[in-house]
Amino acid sequence: MNGASRNSSGEDDYDSDEGEVFLDEDDVIHEIPIDEEELPDRDDEEMDSDVDYEEADDSFYVFKGHTDELYSVACSPTDASLVATGGKDDRGFMWKVGSQDSGLELQGHRNTVSTLSFSSDGQFLATGSFDGLIQVWDANLGRIKCTLEGSGGGIEWLKWHPKGHLILAGSEDSSVWLWNADKSISLDTFYGHASSVTCGDFSPDGKIICTGSDDASLRIWNPKTGESINVRGHPYHTDGLTCLSITHDSTIALTGSKDSSVHMVNLATGRVISSLVSHSDSVECVGVSPSSHWAATGSLDQKLIIWDLERSSPRCTCEHDDGITCLLWLGVSRYVATGSIDGKVRIWDSLSGSCVRSLRGHVDVVQSLAATADQSSLVSVSNDGTARVFSISEFK
């Protein structure tokens, strides 16, 4: 008999003068026979802990060309089957959804491929790396067109101009670069941030550049003159910016920060016009709905919040099981997709705030999401080294 038992008087047996007490056959009152076949089975894990049970997988195609964590994914805006991915293995790939071949390896980078994007006409793919280089590829021929080099600092992100072949990129050395991909030349370099430039984009009309930095500032640039409006200090962010999105009328930028806040900034004046405060941890992603005055923000606090921008108030809060890393509005629909630290991809109804689909398959953090040109498939990339394709036809 292991451990200490207690006797009928409530005293510990090891305090008793009688020593240890044992039952003998005369103490048995009634014996109950047990059929071993009726006993519950042992837990599967206890029975065979060496067996790896296959995780449920809702994807209909998996790309496994990479050999390390994946960080970036982009879908061609003109070819519904063409996808590009980049990651920690210093490689990018262009591949076709459903194809049995291994895809086209985009060789040449000497460090993590941190970001990539197709031009708006689908003609080119640009890949950016922590080696400080951007490579531009002909998406139709699968051949490299040119290599663009900045000051040598790692490329954090890149964006194509919405109407042409200009590439904007932010660097970890605090500089912002603008290149002409057709002519393979640098057009301008914007200096002003005091730390890594973590996010940025052209306005939808192509006339303004916005960049956010780890120095807790937003800069609104005039690309023709190189002049900028610097947004920082009270009532703005108190910690580094992580993400930004610009409204479709090119008037307002929404920015998220490690300080858990979201702010709306007037691009003409640089004035903070509203503060969206509901998160309690770093805001990792923000997106403006293409079809309404709504926006979505995702945070490490495990919440996706849908905002009414006209009222600067939350419409609904969607609860996750773990932190949110990325989000994507699905075309002009009311649905929002999110990627999470728990490896799940979820589809949310922005009207009701309910989760209408949980897509399984990844076994590590989901880092990025993209939708195919026909909006029928969602592609996700993960730290597990795979890209997975899920059907989302019903959410168009």
Side-chain angles (χ1 to χ4, degrees), residues 5 28 66 110 113-114 120 150 160 200 209 228 275 306 346 364 381:
S5 61
V28 175
H66 290 274
R110 302 183 304 274
V113 177
S114 54
S120 59
W160 288 90
I209 290 172
S228 69
S275 297
I306 308 299
R346 294 175 174 85
D364 208 337
V381 295

Side-chain angles (χ1 to χ4, degrees), residues 142-291:
R143 294 202 302 249
I144 191 165
K145 180 186 185 299
C146 61
T147 298
L148 307 174
E149 187 170 0
S151 56
I155 304 297
E156 294 277 357
W157 54 268
L158 66 83
K159 300 286 185 177
W160 288 90
H161 190 279
K163 300 174 183 177
H165 293 159
L166 305 182
I167 297 176
L168 180 71
S171 171
E172 62 183 356
D173 68 4
S174 77
S175 61
V176 179
W177 291 74
L178 182 64
W179 290 278
N180 182 318
D182 287 326
K183 299 180 179 179
S184 307
I185 59 172
S186 172
L187 296 179
D188 210 342
T189 309
F190 305 108
Y191 295 102
H193 288 297
S195 189
S196 179
V197 185
T198 52
C199 52
D201 205 350
F202 293 100
S203 58
D205 63 11
K207 297 178 180 179
I208 299 171
I209 290 172
C210 290
T211 57
S213 170
D214 213 29
D215 65 8
S217 76
L218 171 74
R219 283 188 176 265
I220 305 165
W221 306 87
N222 181 331
K224 292 183 177 180
T225 66
E227 297 175 344
S228 69
I229 300 172
N230 189 22
V231 184
R232 66 175 302 134
H234 184 77
Y236 200 51
H237 297 295
T238 59
D239 205 342
L241 275 67
T242 56
C243 52
L244 67 79
S245 184
I246 302 173
T247 57
H248 301 285
D249 60 5
S250 300
T251 61
I252 297 171
L254 275 78
T255 57
S257 165
K258 290 187 285 189
D259 68 6
S260 79
S261 67
V262 178
H263 294 288
M264 296 171 61
V265 179
N266 183 301
L267 294 184
T269 64
R271 186 172 64 90
V272 178
I273 57 178
S274 185
S275 297
L276 310 180
V277 182
S278 280
H279 288 295
S280 59
D281 205 338
S282 178
V283 177
E284 297 294 298
C285 43
V286 58
V288 176
S289 167
S291 59

Side-chain angles (χ1 to χ4, degrees), residues 100-142:
Q100 297 303 309
D101 65 36
S102 57
L104 173 67
E105 183 177 347
L106 308 174
Q107 299 177 334
H109 286 298
R110 302 183 304 274
N111 207 330
T112 295
V113 177
S114 54
T115 178
L116 41 77
S117 179
F118 285 94
S119 58
S120 59
D121 60 5
Q123 183 177 348
F124 297 122
L125 170 72
T127 59
S129 167
F130 288 155
D131 63 12
L133 301 178
I134 288 177
Q135 294 187 152
V136 181
W137 301 80
D138 186 311
N140 297 313
L141 301 177

Side-chain angles (χ1 to χ4, degrees), residues 329-350:
W329 286 92
L330 300 182
V332 295
S333 76
R334 67 178 190 264
Y335 299 103
V336 182
T338 57
S340 174
I341 290 174
D342 65 9
K344 298 288 195 306
V345 175
R346 294 175 174 85
I347 310 293
W348 302 85
D349 186 333
S350 65

